[in-house]
Amino acid sequence: MAFDAVRGQPAAVDVLTRALASGRVAHAYAFVGPPGVGRKLTAMAFAKSLLCPSAGCEQCPACRKIEAGIHPDFMLIAPTFPEGKTSGTPLIRIEAIRQLEQRAALRPAESAWKVFIVDDAGRMTAEAPQAFLKTLEEPPARTVIILILTQTRELPATVLSRCQVVRFMPLHEEEAVALLQSRGMDEGTARLLARASQGRPGLALALDPAAWLERRELALSILAEVGADGAAALFKWSDTLGRDRGQIEQLLETWWLWYRDLLCAKASGDPRLLIHGDRAAELAQSAAGRSWEEIVAGLAACREAWQALQRNVSPRLTLEVMLSRLALGAA
Ligand SMILES: [Zn+2]
Protein backbone atom coordinates (compact mmCIF):
# COMPACT_ATOMS: atom_id res chain seq x y z
CA MET A 1 0.00 0.00 0.00
CA ALA A 2 0.92 3.65 -0.08
CA PHE A 3 3.29 3.54 2.92
CA ASP A 4 5.23 0.52 1.64
CA ALA A 5 7.75 2.78 -0.06
CA VAL A 6 8.53 4.62 3.20
CA ARG A 7 11.60 3.08 4.88
CA GLY A 8 12.89 3.48 8.38
CA GLN A 9 10.12 5.72 9.79
CA PRO A 10 7.98 3.28 11.79
CA ALA A 11 6.83 5.85 14.37
CA ALA A 12 5.62 8.35 11.76
CA VAL A 13 3.90 5.69 9.66
CA ASP A 14 2.25 4.30 12.79
CA VAL A 15 0.78 7.70 13.77
CA LEU A 16 -0.63 8.21 10.28
CA THR A 17 -2.02 4.72 9.71
CA ARG A 18 -3.74 4.86 13.10
CA ALA A 19 -5.29 8.23 12.21
CA LEU A 20 -6.57 6.75 8.95
CA ALA A 21 -7.92 3.63 10.64
CA SER A 22 -9.74 5.56 13.37
CA GLY A 23 -10.94 8.32 11.05
CA ARG A 24 -9.40 10.88 13.44
CA VAL A 25 -7.29 12.75 10.92
CA ALA A 26 -5.89 16.11 12.08
CA HIS A 27 -6.53 19.29 10.08
CA ALA A 28 -2.84 20.04 9.91
CA TYR A 29 0.39 18.11 10.37
CA ALA A 30 3.98 19.27 10.64
CA PHE A 31 6.37 16.61 9.33
CA VAL A 32 9.61 17.55 11.07
CA GLY A 33 13.01 16.01 10.40
CA PRO A 34 16.17 16.29 8.32
CA PRO A 35 15.94 16.44 4.51
CA GLY A 36 16.37 13.17 2.63
CA VAL A 37 14.71 10.81 5.16
CA GLY A 38 11.31 10.44 3.46
CA ARG A 39 9.15 13.32 4.75
CA LYS A 40 7.75 14.21 1.33
CA LEU A 41 7.39 10.56 0.29
CA THR A 42 5.37 9.95 3.46
CA ALA A 43 3.24 13.05 2.84
CA MET A 44 2.49 11.84 -0.70
CA ALA A 45 1.60 8.38 0.65
CA PHE A 46 -0.73 9.95 3.22
CA ALA A 47 -2.37 12.05 0.49
CA LYS A 48 -2.93 8.94 -1.62
CA SER A 49 -4.34 7.06 1.37
CA LEU A 50 -6.89 9.84 1.88
CA LEU A 51 -7.82 10.53 -1.76
CA CYS A 52 -7.61 7.08 -3.38
CA PRO A 53 -10.76 4.90 -3.25
CA SER A 54 -8.56 1.90 -2.37
CA ALA A 55 -6.51 3.63 0.36
CA GLY A 56 -3.40 4.39 -1.68
CA CYS A 57 -3.16 1.61 -4.28
CA GLU A 58 -0.61 3.51 -6.46
CA GLN A 59 -2.42 2.17 -9.57
CA CYS A 60 -5.76 3.95 -9.89
CA PRO A 61 -6.40 7.26 -11.71
CA ALA A 62 -6.55 9.12 -8.36
CA CYS A 63 -3.11 7.89 -7.25
CA ARG A 64 -1.64 8.63 -10.66
CA LYS A 65 -3.12 12.13 -10.72
CA ILE A 66 -1.67 12.86 -7.26
CA GLU A 67 1.75 11.66 -8.39
CA ALA A 68 1.49 13.90 -11.47
CA GLY A 69 0.28 16.84 -9.36
CA ILE A 70 -3.00 17.21 -11.32
CA HIS A 71 -5.56 15.82 -8.85
CA PRO A 72 -8.19 18.55 -8.26
CA ASP A 73 -8.28 17.80 -4.50
CA PHE A 74 -4.52 17.85 -4.08
CA MET A 75 -1.94 20.60 -4.18
CA LEU A 76 1.81 20.51 -3.59
CA ILE A 77 3.37 23.88 -2.82
CA ALA A 78 7.15 24.27 -2.92
CA PRO A 79 9.48 27.28 -2.77
CA THR A 80 9.80 29.14 -6.09
CA PHE A 81 12.12 31.77 -7.52
CA PRO A 82 10.86 35.38 -7.62
CA GLU A 83 8.16 35.79 -10.28
CA GLY A 84 9.51 35.77 -13.82
CA LYS A 85 13.05 34.82 -12.71
CA THR A 86 15.05 31.63 -12.98
CA SER A 87 17.43 32.37 -10.12
CA GLY A 88 17.39 33.99 -6.67
CA THR A 89 16.29 32.65 -3.31
CA PRO A 90 13.47 30.10 -3.62
CA LEU A 91 10.68 30.99 -1.19
CA ILE A 92 7.06 30.11 -0.47
CA ARG A 93 5.33 33.28 -1.54
CA ILE A 94 2.10 34.78 -0.32
CA GLU A 95 0.43 34.21 -3.71
CA ALA A 96 0.90 30.45 -3.26
CA ILE A 97 -0.64 30.59 0.23
CA ARG A 98 -3.61 32.60 -1.14
CA GLN A 99 -4.10 29.96 -3.83
CA LEU A 100 -4.06 27.29 -1.12
CA GLU A 101 -6.67 29.27 0.85
CA GLN A 102 -8.95 29.51 -2.19
CA ARG A 103 -8.62 25.85 -3.07
CA ALA A 104 -9.14 24.81 0.57
CA ALA A 105 -12.44 26.73 0.70
CA LEU A 106 -13.91 24.60 -2.13
CA ARG A 107 -15.66 21.27 -1.65
CA PRO A 108 -13.67 18.20 -2.62
CA ALA A 109 -14.24 17.58 -6.34
CA GLU A 110 -13.46 13.89 -6.69
CA SER A 111 -12.59 12.50 -3.27
CA ALA A 112 -13.68 12.59 0.32
CA TRP A 113 -10.80 14.89 1.31
CA LYS A 114 -8.58 17.71 0.06
CA VAL A 115 -4.86 17.48 0.80
CA PHE A 116 -2.31 20.28 0.65
CA ILE A 117 1.41 19.67 1.09
CA VAL A 118 3.73 22.60 1.73
CA ASP A 119 7.28 21.41 1.10
CA ASP A 120 10.11 23.34 2.77
CA ALA A 121 7.46 25.27 4.68
CA GLY A 122 10.17 27.05 6.68
CA ARG A 123 10.96 29.06 3.56
CA MET A 124 7.82 31.19 3.74
CA THR A 125 8.25 34.90 3.09
CA ALA A 126 7.68 37.09 6.14
CA GLU A 127 3.99 37.79 5.46
CA ALA A 128 3.06 34.24 4.37
CA PRO A 129 2.68 32.55 7.80
CA GLN A 130 0.21 35.24 8.89
CA ALA A 131 -1.94 34.65 5.80
CA PHE A 132 -1.65 30.93 6.34
CA LEU A 133 -2.73 31.19 9.96
CA LYS A 134 -6.25 32.21 8.88
CA THR A 135 -6.75 28.87 7.13
CA LEU A 136 -5.34 26.98 10.11
CA GLU A 137 -7.54 28.84 12.60
CA GLU A 138 -10.74 28.07 10.71
CA PRO A 139 -9.86 24.87 8.93
CA PRO A 140 -12.28 24.05 6.10
CA ALA A 141 -14.00 20.66 6.48
CA ARG A 142 -12.35 17.54 5.05
CA THR A 143 -9.08 19.37 4.51
CA VAL A 144 -5.63 18.16 5.55
CA ILE A 145 -2.59 20.41 5.37
CA ILE A 146 0.91 18.92 5.72
CA LEU A 147 3.83 21.25 6.40
CA ILE A 148 7.28 19.79 5.75
CA LEU A 149 9.94 21.27 8.02
CA THR A 150 13.51 20.61 9.11
CA GLN A 151 13.03 22.13 12.57
CA THR A 152 9.96 23.28 14.47
CA ARG A 153 11.49 26.71 15.03
CA GLU A 154 11.32 27.45 11.32
CA LEU A 155 7.72 28.61 11.75
CA PRO A 156 6.03 30.85 14.33
CA ALA A 157 4.64 29.02 17.37
CA THR A 158 1.16 30.30 16.47
CA VAL A 159 1.28 28.26 13.26
CA LEU A 160 2.96 25.22 14.74
CA SER A 161 0.63 24.98 17.73
CA ARG A 162 -2.20 24.25 15.32
CA CYS A 163 -0.41 21.30 13.75
CA GLN A 164 0.13 17.76 14.96
CA VAL A 165 3.89 17.29 14.91
CA VAL A 166 5.15 14.03 13.35
CA ARG A 167 8.89 13.41 13.78
CA PHE A 168 11.18 11.87 11.16
CA MET A 169 14.62 10.44 11.96
CA PRO A 170 17.76 9.63 9.97
CA LEU A 171 17.73 6.00 8.81
CA HIS A 172 19.92 3.29 10.32
CA GLU A 173 22.86 2.48 8.12
CA GLU A 174 21.60 -0.93 6.97
CA GLU A 175 18.20 0.52 6.03
CA ALA A 176 19.84 3.30 4.05
CA VAL A 177 22.20 0.85 2.31
CA ALA A 178 19.30 -1.45 1.37
CA LEU A 179 17.29 1.48 0.03
CA LEU A 180 20.18 2.77 -2.09
CA GLN A 181 20.86 -0.73 -3.41
CA SER A 182 17.19 -1.10 -4.33
CA ARG A 183 17.69 1.99 -6.51
CA GLY A 184 20.48 0.31 -8.42
CA MET A 185 23.66 1.26 -6.50
CA ASP A 186 26.33 -1.39 -5.93
CA GLU A 187 26.93 -2.28 -2.27
CA GLY A 188 30.23 -0.43 -1.88
CA THR A 189 28.89 2.85 -3.27
CA ALA A 190 25.62 2.44 -1.34
CA ARG A 191 27.53 2.01 1.93
CA LEU A 192 29.87 4.92 1.29
CA LEU A 193 26.98 7.26 0.42
CA ALA A 194 24.73 5.93 3.21
CA ARG A 195 27.46 6.88 5.69
CA ALA A 196 28.36 10.15 4.00
CA SER A 197 24.72 11.24 3.90
CA GLN A 198 24.43 10.24 7.59
CA GLY A 199 21.23 8.26 7.24
CA ARG A 200 19.58 10.64 4.78
CA PRO A 201 19.41 8.45 1.66
CA GLY A 202 17.35 11.01 -0.26
CA LEU A 203 20.42 13.25 -0.24
CA ALA A 204 22.56 10.35 -1.46
CA LEU A 205 20.08 9.65 -4.27
CA ALA A 206 20.27 13.27 -5.33
CA LEU A 207 24.06 12.93 -5.56
CA ASP A 208 25.89 11.57 -8.51
CA PRO A 209 28.38 9.18 -6.80
CA ALA A 210 31.16 10.22 -9.18
CA ALA A 211 30.53 13.90 -8.39
CA TRP A 212 30.56 13.12 -4.67
CA LEU A 213 33.94 11.41 -4.96
CA GLU A 214 35.26 14.34 -6.99
CA ARG A 215 34.10 16.76 -4.31
CA ARG A 216 35.91 14.72 -1.67
CA GLU A 217 39.11 14.76 -3.74
CA LEU A 218 38.82 18.53 -4.14
CA ALA A 219 38.24 19.05 -0.40
CA LEU A 220 41.24 16.91 0.57
CA SER A 221 43.53 18.41 -2.06
CA ILE A 222 42.68 21.93 -0.85
CA LEU A 223 43.63 20.97 2.71
CA ALA A 224 46.87 19.37 1.53
CA GLU A 225 47.78 22.31 -0.69
CA VAL A 226 47.13 24.94 1.98
CA GLY A 227 49.10 22.81 4.45
CA ALA A 228 52.06 22.68 2.08
CA ASP A 229 52.03 26.16 0.50
CA GLY A 230 50.50 28.22 3.31
CA ALA A 231 48.81 31.56 2.83
CA ALA A 232 49.43 31.76 -0.93
CA ALA A 233 47.34 28.63 -1.50
CA LEU A 234 44.75 29.79 1.01
CA PHE A 235 44.14 33.04 -0.89
CA LYS A 236 44.13 31.24 -4.22
CA TRP A 237 41.30 28.98 -3.04
CA SER A 238 39.34 31.72 -1.33
CA ASP A 239 39.53 33.71 -4.60
CA THR A 240 38.34 30.71 -6.58
CA LEU A 241 35.53 29.54 -4.28
CA GLY A 242 34.76 32.53 -2.07
CA ARG A 243 31.54 33.54 -3.79
CA ASP A 244 29.94 30.13 -3.89
CA ARG A 245 28.16 29.60 -0.58
CA GLY A 246 26.67 26.26 -1.71
CA GLN A 247 30.03 24.82 -2.66
CA ILE A 248 31.63 26.01 0.58
CA GLU A 249 28.83 24.34 2.57
CA GLN A 250 29.55 21.09 0.72
CA LEU A 251 33.30 21.36 1.33
CA LEU A 252 32.65 22.07 5.00
CA GLU A 253 30.56 18.95 5.32
CA THR A 254 33.32 16.91 3.67
CA TRP A 255 35.98 18.34 5.98
CA TRP A 256 33.78 17.81 9.03
CA LEU A 257 33.25 14.12 8.10
CA TRP A 258 36.97 13.70 7.41
CA TYR A 259 37.90 15.05 10.86
CA ARG A 260 35.18 12.90 12.40
CA ASP A 261 36.86 9.89 10.73
CA LEU A 262 40.29 11.01 11.99
CA LEU A 263 38.88 10.95 15.51
CA CYS A 264 37.48 7.43 14.97
CA ALA A 265 40.74 6.26 13.41
CA LYS A 266 42.73 7.58 16.36
CA ALA A 267 40.34 6.09 18.91
CA SER A 268 39.93 2.57 17.60
CA GLY A 269 41.32 2.03 14.14
CA ASP A 270 38.24 -0.09 13.31
CA PRO A 271 37.51 0.75 9.65
CA ARG A 272 33.86 -0.25 10.08
CA LEU A 273 33.36 2.97 12.05
CA LEU A 274 34.65 5.14 9.25
CA ILE A 275 32.54 7.02 6.72
CA HIS A 276 35.45 7.08 4.30
CA GLY A 277 36.09 3.37 4.86
CA ASP A 278 37.72 3.15 1.42
CA ARG A 279 40.48 5.49 2.67
CA ALA A 280 41.13 3.71 5.98
CA ALA A 281 44.92 3.41 5.51
CA GLU A 282 45.34 7.11 4.73
CA LEU A 283 43.14 8.07 7.69
CA ALA A 284 45.11 5.83 10.06
CA GLN A 285 48.38 7.37 8.94
CA SER A 286 47.03 10.92 9.16
CA ALA A 287 45.50 10.27 12.61
CA ALA A 288 48.77 8.83 13.93
CA GLY A 289 50.56 12.05 12.96
CA ARG A 290 48.14 14.31 14.82
CA SER A 291 47.38 14.95 18.48
CA TRP A 292 43.88 14.52 19.93
CA GLU A 293 43.75 18.26 20.51
CA GLU A 294 44.56 18.96 16.90
CA ILE A 295 41.76 16.73 15.61
CA VAL A 296 39.21 18.08 18.08
CA ALA A 297 40.24 21.64 17.15
CA GLY A 298 39.64 20.73 13.48
CA LEU A 299 36.11 19.56 14.26
CA ALA A 300 35.48 22.75 16.24
CA ALA A 301 36.75 24.84 13.32
CA CYS A 302 34.30 23.08 10.96
CA ARG A 303 31.40 23.51 13.36
CA GLU A 304 32.11 27.18 13.96
CA ALA A 305 32.46 27.80 10.23
CA TRP A 306 29.07 26.18 9.69
CA GLN A 307 27.54 28.41 12.36
CA ALA A 308 29.18 31.47 10.76
CA LEU A 309 27.60 30.62 7.40
CA GLN A 310 24.20 30.20 9.06
CA ARG A 311 24.65 33.68 10.56
CA ASN A 312 25.38 35.05 7.08
CA VAL A 313 29.08 35.70 7.55
CA SER A 314 30.54 35.99 4.04
CA PRO A 315 31.47 32.61 2.56
CA ARG A 316 34.91 33.92 1.61
CA LEU A 317 35.77 35.07 5.12
CA THR A 318 34.40 31.83 6.56
CA LEU A 319 36.57 29.79 4.21
CA GLU A 320 39.70 31.82 4.96
CA VAL A 321 39.27 31.55 8.72
CA MET A 322 38.53 27.85 8.57
CA LEU A 323 41.37 26.93 6.24
CA SER A 324 43.81 28.89 8.34
CA ARG A 325 42.63 26.96 11.38
CA LEU A 326 42.57 23.54 9.70
CA ALA A 327 45.59 23.60 7.46
CA LEU A 328 47.86 26.18 9.03
CA GLY A 329 47.08 25.18 12.60
CA ALA A 330 46.37 28.81 13.51
CA ALA A 331 44.14 29.15 16.57
ZN1 LIG B 1 -5.19 4.49 -5.81
Side-chain angles (χ1 to χ4, degrees), residues 143-198:
T143 298
V144 177
I145 297 172
I146 304 167
L147 304 176
I148 296 181
L149 297 170
T150 303
Q151 288 172 326
T152 49
R153 63 176 153 85
E154 288 175 314
L155 283 179
T158 44
V159 170
L160 209 70
S161 65
R162 289 174 168 83
C163 302
Q164 181 176 346
V165 174
V166 180
R167 299 271 175 189
F168 287 74
M169 304 294 164
L171 273 68
H172 293 298
E173 182 175 329
E174 293 313 318
E175 285 168 338
V177 171
L179 192 150
L180 294 175
Q181 280 186 286
S182 76
R183 303 294 181 88
M185 267 185 211
D186 66 80
E187 205 212 327
T189 309
R191 192 161 298 279
L192 186 64
L193 291 187
R195 289 183 182 184
S197 65
Q198 298 174 84

Side-chain angles (χ1 to χ4, degrees), residues 52 56-60 63:
C52 158
C57 66
E58 303 277 0
Q59 314 285 333
C60 71
C63 285

